[in-house]
Amino acid sequence: MHFVEAKGILTANGGRHGMNIYRGCSHGCIYCDSRSRCYQFTHPFEDIEVKQNAPELLEKALKAKRKKCMIGTGAMSDPYMHIEKDLCLTRKCLEIILQYGFGVAIQTKSDLILRDIDLLDEINRSAKCVVQMTLTTYDDDLCRILEPHVCNTKRRIEVLEEMQKRGIPTIVWITPILPFINDTEENITSILNECVRAGVKGIIDFGMGLTLREGDREYYYAALDRYFPGMKERYIMQYGNSYEIPSPNARKLTEIFKKTCKAGGIMSSPDECFRFMNDLPEKYAQMSIFDL
């Protein structure tokens, strides 16, 4: 890892406010879109860039905001990768979010988030907290191949259960679904049934497939050669250099997904899930720092 002094931490896009405390990741997921060259990494992806002044920048930004809002994190780099255990920058930023009365929508694959569950609980009581978990692969052996350096899906489901006990709403990302690898009815049904049991608020699916871009594609194909001999050639024959890579089973899997969500009273539209994550209750949104 290496440390930098960032010029800013909070970005606004379409009314959403987000931050990335780290750049790069140590989870090693073979399909990671963040490896794509369009994101213009100037350092190796596993050499994590640490924005060491992130808490100070966040406090400055929140002090200047007259209206409360939700702060998102985890879209590009997991806020609970391994180095967070010692650096605690995510925790410090959560403390600042709590201090200034903002909400948070945080996305991860790691059970390290349980370290901060008391803090997340406080944020949810004073404003709003939404915890997002990515679940792609129910089978432990396959999960270790696709997402090798982070806890498996069953452990992530335990995290969802712990959040449910605290009344902290959860959203699951059931994406990406990899053609010919984890795009089976058994896999999708197993994950969905656990989501229902864990009482998740919503599930985000982007069409039962994945996307591949320059940089990401090469890394993914190298992993296919390593773990699934002949699979790369199958992808090239079926998809060429397409950006969108839908599963041949997408229609059937989507039917299962929508039917399960409807029966379980779970939000299944990405737009609906994003609205929920971005919405801060009016009584909090109208408050200003001068009300603290």
Side-chain angles (χ1 to χ4, degrees):
M1 65 179 172
H2 64 281
F3 295 89
V4 298
E5 289 285 324
K7 294 181 179 179
I9 191 66
L10 205 58
T11 59
N13 183 16
R16 299 173 187 162
H17 296 79
M19 63 177 179
N20 285 295
I21 301 165
Y22 304 107
R23 288 197 79 214
C25 192
S26 56
H27 290 342
C29 304
I30 70 170
Y31 52 72
C32 182
D33 176 72
S34 293
R35 292 180 179 274
S36 301
R37 291 182 187 171
C38 63
Y39 299 119
Q40 300 179 334
F41 273 80
T42 57
H43 56 86
F45 194 72
E46 287 78 14
D47 178 17
I48 312 301
E49 179 180 286
V50 179
K51 299 175 184 178
Q52 59 185 352
N53 59 334
E56 292 80 9
L57 290 173
L58 180 62
E59 182 167 19
K60 182 180 179 181
L62 297 190
K63 276 184 177 180
K65 282 191 171 297
R66 296 188 61 85
K67 184 177 180 180
K68 309 301 183 188
C69 63
M70 296 292 288
I71 307 297
T73 190
M76 281 291 295
S77 294
D78 198 310
Y80 286 106
M81 66 183 77
H82 304 86
I83 56 175
E84 167 61 20
K85 185 175 182 180
D86 295 321
L87 296 179
C88 295
L89 288 177
T90 296
R91 181 171 181 85
K92 291 174 183 176
C93 287
L94 290 174
E95 289 170 344
I96 291 166
I97 288 170
L98 174 63
Q99 178 184 350
Y100 288 93
F102 285 74
V104 68
I106 189 165
Q107 182 178 354
T108 185
K109 289 188 178 87
S110 174
D111 58 352
L112 181 56
I113 193 173
L114 289 175
R115 179 199 66 184
D116 296 338
I117 192 168
D118 288 346
L119 186 52
L120 297 171
D121 192 11
E122 286 190 71
I123 294 173
N124 194 47
R125 291 175 186 275
S126 63
K128 180 179 175 181
C129 173
V130 183
V131 170
Q132 305 160 70
M133 270 280 165
T134 299
L135 309 179
T136 67
T137 309
Y138 195 73
D139 178 81
D140 285 348
D141 292 335
L142 183 56
C143 189
R144 276 190 288 270
I145 293 173
L146 304 186
E147 302 158 345
H149 305 312
V150 69
C151 64
N152 64 20
T153 295
K154 294 180 181 64
R155 176 58 175 160
R156 292 177 226 171
I157 292 167
E158 291 176 0
V159 172
L160 294 172
E161 292 172 336
E162 291 303 311
M163 297 298 166
Q164 171 72 1
K165 291 176 185 177
R166 300 287 188 116
I168 299 171
T170 53
I171 299 286
V172 163
W173 293 67
I174 187 168
T175 182
I177 299 301
L178 313 179
F180 319 120
I181 296 175
N182 66 344
D183 61 338
T184 66
E185 291 187 30
E186 180 183 6
N187 180 52
I188 298 302
T189 300
S190 297
I191 293 174
L192 292 174
N193 287 343
E194 289 294 86
C195 288
V196 172
R197 188 177 63 81
V200 305
K201 183 77 173 179
I203 306 175
I204 295 174
D205 161 56
F206 287 115
M208 297 295 173
L210 80 158
T211 58
L212 293 176
R213 290 187 274 208
E214 188 178 5
D216 170 26
R217 179 182 287 106
E218 289 80 358
Y219 188 85
Y220 181 63
Y221 279 176
L224 292 186
D225 279 341
R226 188 159 58 249
Y227 299 111
F228 307 97
M231 186 67 75
K232 178 181 74 174
E233 288 72 22
R234 190 174 182 183
Y235 268 67
I236 293 172
M237 183 177 298
Q238 178 139 347
Y239 301 108
N241 285 324
S242 298
Y243 169 63
E244 295 184 353
I245 312 294
S247 164
N249 304 324
R251 179 175 294 182
K252 178 62 176 178
L253 298 179
T254 300
E255 288 176 359
I256 294 171
F257 166 67
K258 290 184 176 179
K259 181 179 179 180
T260 304
C261 288
K262 184 177 181 179
I266 297 172
M267 294 186 298
S268 61
S269 160
D271 287 343
E272 189 178 11
C273 291
F274 285 127
R275 279 196 302 271
F276 174 75
M277 288 189 286
N278 196 49
D279 177 58
L280 187 63
E282 191 67 22
K283 65 176 180 177
Y284 299 111
Q286 288 179 342
M287 293 173 63
S288 76
I289 60 173
F290 303 106
D291 297 316
L292 298 177

